[in-house]
Amino acid sequence: MNTPDKKPARRMLSSQLDRESILIDARRELSMPSRRLFGRQLLTLGGLSMLTGCSLTDDKSVNAFLTAVSRLNDRAQAFIFDPQQLAPTYTEAQITRPFPFNAFYDVDSAPVVDPTDYRLKVSGLVTGQRTWSLPELYALPHAEQITRHICVEGWSAIGRWGGTPFASFLRRVGADTSAKYVGFKCADDYYESIDMATALHPQTLLTFEYDGERLPTKYGFPMKLRMPTKLGYKNPKHIVEMFVTNTFPGGYWVDQGYNWFGGS
Ligand SMILES: Nc1nc2c(c(=O)[nH]1)N[C@H]1C(S)=C(S)[C@@H](COP(=O)(O)O)O[C@H]1N2
Ligand SMILES: [Mo]
């Protein structure tokens, strides 16, 4: 130090307290499963802050730090994601009834989509840029799954979804499967994006049915992308557009600080 520290004691104390509470926050964030990088034992907070080049001195740098940790975490999760490893499946008797509704609004505010006017737009890095009507989508090859949906808000539930394997749909629309992301826009203000490896995973289904019936409004009519390998918030409902891209599209919760990869 070549300049003497002239800060009044009070200011020193408060900045020390700030720093402590910031570190407590950072530690709590790191202990959230979605922030975890291979488990905390591998990297300490100090090690992470060196890796990410952030010093934790104010809210802004803590946010930058956590975003950097989250991006490292995305890469670590993408690295350890096994594109063929299957999520557990369950029996009909294990289905959670009633299956919970969740969104960033109440069930009464779920968007009502008119099935006759509805067209799914497929755009971006695909050779077959076009729109799809519901009867066309319903005619695609059919698959079913009974899997567990895990929400970061602290609940999980087993449900039964029916639809078409997303990998075969992507191939049908001539998607560039070497691209990085598939992005989704929804009939509410929700949006999401996923990595291509998950998009091509055998259990990733574009679903039009819940428990053998047409997907009701609350569960995402006319379609929900169902991925048992990802946390609930990564599964977009009421999809109206999907696009293949190499530009990071973010997502509704990701843009508010949640981890993007969101593996479960
Ligand atoms: N369009 C849209 N999709 C969404 C959401 C939303 O608010 N809007 N919420 C997500 C979250 S956080 C969860 S847990 C699941 C809930 O799906 P469910 O209502 O079928 O249980 O939807 C996900 N997809
Ligand atoms: Mo969720």
Side-chain angles (χ1 to χ4, degrees):
M1 286 259 193
N2 44 19
T3 47
D5 195 342
K6 289 194 178 127
K7 270 187 263 175
R10 198 165 46 91
R11 184 137 172 249
M12 290 256 308
L13 179 65
S14 91
S15 75
Q16 198 186 326
L17 285 177
D18 278 358
R19 198 180 145 74
E20 257 156 38
S21 62
I22 281 165
L23 287 175
I24 288 167
D25 278 356
R27 283 203 192 89
R28 192 183 46 227
E29 290 283 344
L30 285 174
S31 69
M32 281 167 56
S34 61
R35 299 277 198 205
R36 220 174 273 162
L37 181 86
F38 298 129
R40 275 159 300 162
Q41 59 277 27
L42 277 187
L43 280 171
T44 62
L45 195 57
L48 277 170
S49 80
M50 271 175 65
L51 253 176
T52 56
C54 297
S55 59
L56 306 175
T57 49
D58 55 38
D59 275 356
K60 221 176 121 209
S61 63
V62 166
N63 272 330
F65 166 77
L66 290 173
T67 302
V69 170
S70 205
R71 292 290 158 270
L72 265 177
N73 189 337
D74 286 337
R75 272 177 275 153
Q77 287 188 60
F79 180 73
I80 59 177
F81 180 72
D82 176 345
Q84 294 308 320
Q85 163 116 38
L86 298 183
T89 58
Y90 301 86
T91 66
E92 203 127 346
Q94 290 171 295
I95 294 174
T96 308
R97 299 181 195 280
F99 190 83
F101 159 84
N102 197 29
F104 63 93
Y105 42 73
D106 290 342
V107 64
D108 309 324
S109 307
V112 178
V113 173
D114 179 348
T116 46
D117 293 348
Y118 176 86
R119 296 291 181 277
L120 171 70
K121 187 177 170 194
V122 179
S123 63
L125 303 173
V126 298
T127 53
Q129 291 195 356
R130 55 165 281 198
T131 62
W132 290 74
S133 70
L134 286 177
E136 288 171 322
L137 292 165
Y138 295 158
L140 293 170
H142 191 262
E144 289 262 336
Q145 64 172 252
I146 302 177
T147 51
R148 186 184 292 278
H149 173 118
I150 303 167
C151 176
V152 286
E153 285 171 56
W155 56 271
S156 85
I158 293 167
R160 174 177 167 223
W161 289 271
T164 200
F166 195 48
S168 67
F169 183 69
L170 285 174
R171 291 198 175 98
R172 192 176 293 256
V173 301
D176 174 358
T177 53
S178 71
K180 285 190 185 153
Y181 312 105
V182 184
F184 302 89
K185 294 179 189 169
C186 306
D188 48 13
D189 287 330
Y190 209 73
Y191 57 103
E192 248 311 341
S193 61
I194 57 169
D195 53 293
M196 187 59 79
T198 301
L200 299 174
H201 186 276
Q203 285 172 309
T204 298
L205 294 188
L206 189 59
T207 65
F208 314 111
E209 285 158 30
Y210 183 77
D211 202 13
E213 310 273 320
R214 189 115 300 156
L215 198 68
T217 294
K218 60 181 172 179
Y219 300 147
F221 183 86
M223 75 191 68
K224 171 178 183 168
L225 188 73
R226 182 59 202 134
M227 296 169 282
T229 56
K230 286 229 188 282
L231 292 167
Y233 67 89
K234 296 298 296 178
N235 292 234
K237 305 192 284 185
H238 314 288
I239 300 169
V240 292
E241 182 176 348
M242 58 178 76
F243 54 98
V244 175
T245 180
N246 281 309
T247 308
F248 183 64
Y252 184 89
W253 291 113
V254 173
D255 293 345
Q256 297 175 53
Y258 278 79
N259 171 253
W260 175 75
F261 196 87
S264 69

